[in-house]
Amino acid sequence: MQLQTMLRFRAGWAEAEGPEHAVVLSTRVRLARNLRLPFPSHLGPAGLKRSLDAVFSAAKTAGLKDAAFFKLADLDDADRAFLVERHLASPALAAKPAHRGLVVGERENLTAMVNEEDHLRLAALQSGLRLREAHAAVDRLDDGLSAALDFAFRDDLGFLTACPTNLGTGLRASCLMHLPALTMTGAVARLIEGLTRAGLIARGLYGEGTRVVGDFFQISNATGFGRTEAEILAALERSAAAIVAREKEARAALSTGAARVKLEDEIHRSLGLLCSARLVGFEEAQQHLSRLRLGLALGWKLPADLALVNELTLSTQPAHLDLLAQKELTPLDRDALRAALVRRRLKAS
Amino acid sequence: MQLQTMLRFRAGWAEAEGPEHAVVLSTRVRLARNLRLPFPSHLGPAGLKRSLDAVFSAAKTAGLKDAAFFKLADLDDADRAFLVERHLASPALAAKPAHRGLVVGERENLTAMVNEEDHLRLAALQSGLRLREAHAAVDRLDDGLSAALDFAFRDDLGFLTACPTNLGTGLRASCLMHLPALTMTGAVARLIEGLTRAGLIARGLYGEGTRVVGDFFQISNATGFGRTEAEILAALERSAAAIVAREKEARAALSTGAARVKLEDEIHRSLGLLCSARLVGFEEAQQHLSRLRLGLALGWKLPADLALVNELTLSTQPAHLDLLAQKELTPLDRDALRAALVRRRLKAS
């Protein structure tokens, strides 16, 4: 079963090998494209089916022939939840499964969502800060699909999209950044304010409102129009590089002088908890994995590596655990399996 | 130096070998005795010196000839604080060191405080619930000293003491009990109320007011008059045995069925913290050592034994750490040394 296979193998973007991967977990570049049909929200079942069939058939000949093809309606709720946790499907796609599709390329580095807000949402994911490489990958996929599909495009507006913020390039680029030191020093709140004024969007990956779990922030461009793809990517790259520099400064300050013993204490406590606890909740796991990730990023000798922490960050999510157990777990059993999985993986490393 | 020697060797009563030692850490029986002189609070320096010399000289010939003899005034504040933490000297003895003395028998199983509230406070300490054995040991010491010293005694009142609650037998017997399960279930508060009504005193060993650190409670008789020594000991033994039974029931309930995984989680988290943290405060150490002790008492496979936990319960106290470091540590350095000591001892076990 394809999802079980995904569960066993680490996603390519989680390998912790790209530039600045100690701060930038992954880069994603997404293109919104539509067929010359009404947008999905205005299509009935027949129109949605026509769009889904057209995209799947084009994808099989163009760049995604070794990919996994999912019709969301053929999956159960647990499988759909897994794909959302895996950052492959959006919650919107999973919520309305009828005639919705998802194509996942090898090692999860390329994806295509079909009949979400737009007929097509193509995305490339890569480890580290690699905006141009990720853009090149999704651009190649776009070129291949363009040969088989007639995308809605107007010379004055560019690519047409369901939401006007995506008009023009249809491009949304984002960096998933791990900012534990800026979170500890409290500087992250002002940083996010500044980004918003610069036309970027920053939001916590997990957690609601101001409470961010695991110290992950996704930084992306706010709109896809009025600028070229290259300009959008360059602006985001500048901001991401600046944040990387500030996070590294904050990490250096926290790991030298009198502050160091307190950070060592925090990180070793987190490691001790992850290696010992018998019941661990999702948010608690994320928080302690974040500390462990920080220690590893600082080059400290700890029994793990960043790729394993990336893997555990994904695999300790509820639907991942249910898929591992091959049943819907009770919250208590899920906390027990999460604790056992983390202990086992850390001890084996 | 004698204190350094004490620091290196475990006190005999901490060996975790007596009856019911999984609940009763130690038993202490103390006798208050006075010379035919005014009580210490009414003696000037010359009188106190005379009393101190008389007791030391008698002790050297009677039962304590291999003991360590301390004049409190010859020690510095740190050494006196160590003796208090070690449960050998009372805070009152350490607070007014001039012409005060302390005799500590081999392995700390017998002690004599000189010129505290009474001229002599003899005590025997033993591992586990061993009231009669401890009484026999202190009684032998009393007999030996009686041969050399003329104790104040009246046929109608018994032994005379500075505080009327000690009149008669001069006997105070106490059991140091570890009650983590009754603390977790909340039953300990009512238990203590009941003891007070039964003429016993129960108090937390560490912590103030209702906040007890480390789940240790000291149960003792409230007064020494109106009953024979045997009656006092029998009453305390009955109460202690009843508390032991209730604590064991509570432990069984917490370690079976659905509750077990939560207790396993708690205990393994404590172990993880003790094996990992780089900075550990005194109360935090006590609390996690208490959890570890509970796991060991339940017979769980954990990398420690009760004697080691007893040792760490003592050795992680501030003055113990200062003596180990041979200097007065800052609070931060003390937390770091405490963490390092606990990690090292747990890893070596």
Side-chain angles (χ1 to χ4, degrees), chain B residues 236-298:
Chain B
L236 182 62
E237 179 133 29
R238 273 195 306 276
S239 290
I243 297 169
V244 167
R246 289 195 53 193
E247 170 67 17
K248 284 182 170 176
E249 281 167 26
R251 290 181 184 184
L254 288 173
S255 61
T256 48
R260 183 176 173 105
V261 65
K262 292 192 179 169
L263 188 66
E264 282 179 351
D265 181 53
E266 282 230 39
I267 290 173
H268 282 279
R269 278 173 185 248
S270 288
L271 179 64
L273 186 141
L274 293 168
C275 289
S276 307
R278 265 46 182 175
L279 295 172
V280 179
F282 168 67
E283 294 197 357
E284 190 180 27
Q286 293 293 320
Q287 203 52 44
H288 293 293
L289 287 169
S290 169
R291 292 279 184 276
L292 180 54
R293 176 191 298 279
L294 174 58
L296 291 165
L298 286 165

Side-chain angles (χ1 to χ4, degrees), chain B residues 32-212:
Chain B
R33 296 291 182 260
N34 284 280
L35 306 180
R36 293 190 186 274
L37 287 172
F39 294 127
S41 59
H42 290 73
L43 276 181
L48 289 169
K49 183 174 184 309
R50 194 175 140 207
S51 156
L52 180 59
D53 291 346
V55 172
F56 269 21
S57 122
K60 278 170 190 166
T61 62
L64 285 170
K65 63 177 183 300
D66 296 323
F69 287 77
F70 300 101
K71 290 187 175 175
L72 276 283
D74 296 346
L75 303 175
D76 60 22
D77 284 342
D79 289 346
R80 288 189 286 264
F82 170 81
L83 292 169
V84 172
E85 285 183 356
R86 201 78 180 169
H87 309 302
L88 298 171
S90 67
L93 190 80
K96 284 194 182 169
H99 307 293
R100 266 70 188 179
L102 175 67
V103 189
V104 181
E106 259 187 296
R107 303 221 58 204
E108 306 171 40
N109 284 344
L110 274 178
T111 61
M113 289 195 290
V114 188
N115 290 335
E116 204 239 32
E117 185 181 296
D118 298 299
H119 295 125
L120 252 176
R121 288 277 178 104
L122 310 174
L125 278 91
Q126 300 205 357
S127 168
L129 179 56
R130 270 202 292 218
L131 282 158
R132 273 162 297 177
E133 293 85 339
H135 179 253
V138 76
D139 200 39
R140 276 194 302 278
L141 178 59
D142 181 43
D143 287 348
L145 291 169
S146 299
L149 298 168
D150 187 16
F151 289 145
F153 183 88
R154 264 174 54 173
D155 286 340
D156 53 346
L157 291 174
F159 290 100
L160 302 185
T161 56
C163 175
T165 59
N166 291 316
L167 264 180
T169 60
L171 182 143
R172 165 84 45 102
S174 62
C175 294
L176 180 55
M177 309 193 76
H178 185 231
L179 306 178
L182 291 173
T183 301
M184 284 183 200
T185 63
V188 82
R190 280 195 316 280
L191 190 87
I192 285 179
E193 268 181 44
L195 288 174
T196 310
R197 282 195 300 270
L200 297 174
I201 291 172
R203 61 178 184 86
L205 181 62
Y206 304 112
E208 285 171 16
T210 55
R211 207 174 51 86
V212 170

